[in-house]
Amino acid sequence: MQPDYLIIGSGLSALTFGALMANAGKTVQILEAHEHPGGFGHTFTMAKKYTFNAQFHYVWDCGEGQTVNRVLKKLGLDKDVTFERYDPDGFDHMRMPGYKMDIPSDPAVLIDRLSALFPDHSHNIHQFVDEVEKTGAGLKIVAPPINPIELLKHPQAAFSTVSNLNSTLQDVFDKFQLPQAAQTLLALQWLDFLLPPNQLSFFAWVALFRGYQAGAFYPTQHFESVINSLVKVIESHGGQVLLNHEVTNFRVVNKTVMGVEAMNLTTHQTAEFTGDTVICNIDPQRAAKMIGEEKFSTAIRRKLDYEYSASNYMVYCVVKDIDLRDYGFGKWNVSHTGHESLNEAFAQMYDRHDYSNPSFAITTPTLLTEASRDCPADCQIVEFLTVANYAYFKQLRESDPKAYRQKKQEILDSILDVVEKHYVPNFRKHLVFEITGSPTTNERYCWCPEGNSYGSILTPRNMGLGRLNHETSLGQFYFCNASSGYPGFAPTVWTGALLYQRLSGDVVLGDG
């Protein structure tokens, strides 16, 4: 008997959708090519004792009544899957030449801190933060499901949102004439987007910046427990999550997707899987090419014409016999740049592959929760993240594997030089394990085309009205992933819950 929903891929949006449907009594079957469920949220273990998450570092929209909390309550998981909050007085510590600032949850405190650093621009700073607040409120109003009454009640917020539809973050910085150093301090968590201010959608920046101000979180039991809890809901209601099953072909009859062919990567046998409705969690562009782009409507093909987001370089480290709290680390992330302009920092690393003056983020997951450990008691985990160009790393890896390894080591050494100079003297002496990941690593282990971290690139064009959504124009077939909704932990949960809400009629997300 075929399932009600056949889901291709087990990224977070798919697991959210599948768990909600299974919880509602529907039969669900998920096919996942990887050996772990969760997409970029999956967890892996090295040396049998060090646990790392693939990509997630900190998350938002997890507080009481917010998106993630609503979904967990619906699934009866809110008491088991809990989150630790980052320091609200400074969840992001921004560090650059000549300046440092901790980003607080309170917008008024943010204005005070920026004004203390740039007293001659206090008025501009106040205006900018006010614009951020109005636009953020407006984004909630215009997000589906739209509530017309809220639109009428908050015309200024709606106007700010509409007027910034095509704006980059740099456009709004320029509009309010913020000094360059203030721009950099405000945008120094740019590695959350892997885009500099002159390319990044103002909408995307506002959603994330205000989201973290409302609460930056880390799972009490790490991300592995979040993913496993969703899988458990599906399986406890009779559903299946079949790992190591790579979809090789879609079966389409009269513009209706009937099912797929998938290869079991363990046995190398191919089988056909069908479902009353097929939900596609794999990259929509990739799926469309497999199905045949000509089968989709002109409007959908236009929305499928997106560029992929940039990719990243990651370092997963373990340090021993040292407490990073003694060196300024704790319940926050640290973002570092040696440049005054993040636009120049991006160009140097992404376009010119020059990491001699790196901008990067530092996260310390071991310090974020005491309820469970990700390494032995005498160790702590620290991770570094920066931007990287997929085409460059792919060419290196394919043409000269030795040069590829040398480039990864060069970037690591450059980052560690900065760490030892500015943060932890003799850091290397405490380093007992490290492993690096490049854009091609992302592609191999997370099945993301071109190693992209966020699906489609988060420019104003892709964040506007023409953004791809669940619609595919094919019968019984829906997209459900970062490019057909929004990327990141909470936004992918929202994407999965929104599709569930639409197909079931059961309201989870509220009235907007």
Side-chain angles (χ1 to χ4, degrees):
M1 183 175 172
Q2 71 178 20
D4 296 316
Y5 293 95
L6 175 65
I7 303 174
I8 314 305
S10 72
L12 193 55
S13 59
L15 289 177
T16 299
F17 174 86
L20 288 167
M21 279 297 181
N23 187 62
K26 300 296 184 181
T27 51
V28 170
Q29 187 176 54
I30 296 181
L31 305 178
E32 169 56 54
H34 197 19
E35 61 185 304
H36 301 290
F40 270 130
H42 84 263
T43 296
F44 62 96
T45 300
M46 301 299 295
K48 298 183 180 180
K49 55 185 175 179
Y50 307 132
T51 300
F52 305 100
N53 183 263
Q55 290 283 297
F56 289 155
H57 305 292
Y58 64 157
V59 296
W60 49 283
D61 219 10
C62 300
E64 181 68 30
Q66 294 180 326
T67 297
V68 175
N69 179 253
R70 287 183 183 220
V71 170
L72 292 174
K73 279 187 175 177
K74 185 74 178 179
L75 297 173
L77 296 175
D78 56 305
K79 298 293 189 294
D80 298 320
V81 180
T82 57
F83 296 86
E84 305 298 309
R85 187 169 179 181
Y86 276 53
D87 184 357
D89 191 52
F91 56 88
D92 271 329
H93 288 200
M94 310 308 206
R95 303 294 184 259
M96 63 178 287
Y99 296 95
K100 62 180 183 178
M101 186 178 73
D102 301 341
I103 303 292
S105 290
D106 188 339
V109 177
L110 176 64
I111 290 171
D112 289 344
R113 288 182 183 175
L114 280 169
S115 297
L117 292 173
F118 309 98
D120 294 342
H121 296 85
S122 180
H123 179 67
N124 307 61
I125 290 165
H126 200 290
Q127 284 187 310
F128 173 81
V129 174
D130 186 55
E131 185 79 353
V132 170
E133 291 301 301
K134 286 191 294 188
T135 302
L139 283 173
K140 288 190 174 182
I141 294 167
V142 301
I146 294 174
N147 184 332
I149 296 172
E150 290 297 308
L151 278 173
L152 293 172
K153 280 167 62 178
H154 304 282
Q156 281 191 320
F159 175 78
S160 287
T161 305
V162 172
S163 65
N164 286 312
L165 178 64
N166 297 313
S167 298
T168 64
L169 176 57
Q170 190 64 55
D171 290 335
V172 185
F173 280 156
D174 293 344
K175 176 181 175 182
F176 293 100
Q177 300 180 317
L178 293 190
Q180 181 62 61
Q183 296 178 27
T184 300
L185 289 170
L186 281 165
L188 197 47
Q189 92 293 41
W190 72 282
L191 292 160
D192 283 343
F193 308 98
L194 301 171
L195 270 188
N198 63 2
Q199 296 182 45
L200 176 64
S201 159
F202 182 59
F203 280 5
W205 182 83
V206 166
L208 186 137
F209 189 83
R210 289 183 83 254
Y212 282 133
Q213 280 193 306
F217 297 93
Y218 193 84
T220 304
Q221 301 292 337
H222 299 294
F223 285 103
E224 187 172 27
S225 70
V226 181
I227 299 300
N228 289 345
S229 294
L230 294 172
V231 170
K232 187 175 179 181
V233 169
I234 293 166
E235 293 179 339
S236 67
H237 287 85
Q240 287 183 310
V241 179
L242 302 179
L243 303 176
N244 297 301
H245 278 69
E246 180 184 1
V247 170
T248 55
N249 192 26
F250 285 83
R251 183 164 166 259
V252 184
V253 179
N254 297 326
K255 292 196 173 183
T256 297
V257 177
M258 310 298 290
V260 300
E261 288 179 6
M263 177 185 289
N264 184 323
L265 298 177
T266 305
T267 65
H268 300 289
Q269 292 181 319
T270 298
E272 186 168 301
F273 296 84
T274 59
D276 292 344
T277 300
V278 179
I279 307 297
C280 183
N281 177 239
I282 67 174
D283 175 68
Q285 261 190 37
R286 184 177 167 198
K289 284 184 171 67
M290 292 173 70
I291 291 168
E293 292 167 326
E294 72 283 354
K295 292 185 172 69
F296 293 85
S297 70
T298 303
I300 297 299
R301 289 204 301 272
R302 193 179 302 120
K303 291 183 177 184
L304 282 165
D305 183 27
Y306 54 79
E307 292 177 63
Y308 289 116
S309 86
S311 191
N312 62 286
Y313 169 91
M314 276 286 302
V315 190
Y316 307 92
C317 296
V318 181
V319 291
K320 188 176 180 181
D321 299 327
I322 186 174
D323 189 342
L324 293 168
R325 285 169 289 203
D326 295 337
Y327 297 88
F329 297 95
K331 288 184 178 293
W332 49 80
N333 295 322
V334 177
S335 294
H336 173 94
T337 186
H339 292 265
E340 187 162 300
S341 165
L342 295 178
N343 297 322
E344 173 56 29
F346 179 87
Q348 181 175 337
M349 295 187 295
Y350 189 79
D351 298 329
R352 301 195 290 273
H353 324 300
D354 177 359
Y355 290 84
S356 59
N357 185 15
S359 294
F360 57 94
I362 309 172
T363 64
T364 49
T366 313
L367 304 183
L368 301 175
T369 174
E370 297 177 2
S372 62
R373 290 203 62 82
D374 43 17
C375 60
D378 59 351
C379 297
Q380 292 178 0
I381 286 176
V382 57
E383 299 172 352
F384 305 104
L385 166 74
T386 191
V387 73
N389 186 308
Y390 168 78
Y392 171 76
F393 276 91
K394 184 185 183 203
Q395 185 273 330
L396 262 190
R397 188 170 184 271
E398 292 179 350
S399 65
D400 192 342
K402 182 180 178 182
Y404 168 78
R405 291 191 296 271
Q406 286 176 338
K407 188 65 179 181
K408 289 205 296 179
Q409 185 64 42
E410 172 201 314
I411 299 171
L412 173 57
D413 285 336
S414 184
I415 289 173
L416 294 183
D417 286 346
V418 173
V419 170
E420 291 193 330
K421 181 178 180 180
H422 294 284
Y423 299 98
V424 186
N426 300 316
F427 182 87
R428 286 178 171 91
K429 288 186 178 179
H430 297 279
L431 193 57
V432 294
F433 178 88
E434 90 265 348
I435 184 171
T436 58
S438 80
T440 56
T441 313
N442 282 353
E443 189 171 49
R444 290 204 313 279
Y445 290 103
C446 295
W447 297 76
C448 50
E450 298 183 17
N452 77 81
S453 292
Y454 294 115
S456 54
I457 192 168
L458 300 176
T459 56
R461 175 182 179 269
N462 276 337
M463 291 297 291
L465 299 175
R467 187 173 178 84
L468 185 67
N469 57 33
H470 298 112
E471 292 296 329
T472 69
S473 76
L474 299 181
Q476 304 306 310
F477 185 62
Y478 297 89
F479 291 132
C480 185
N481 96 325
S483 292
S484 63
Y486 294 96
F489 180 83
T492 47
V493 169
W494 179 85
T495 297
L498 186 65
L499 183 58
Y500 163 78
Q501 188 167 288
R502 175 180 168 180
L503 297 184
S504 69
D506 179 24
V507 176
V508 178
L509 300 173
D511 56 5

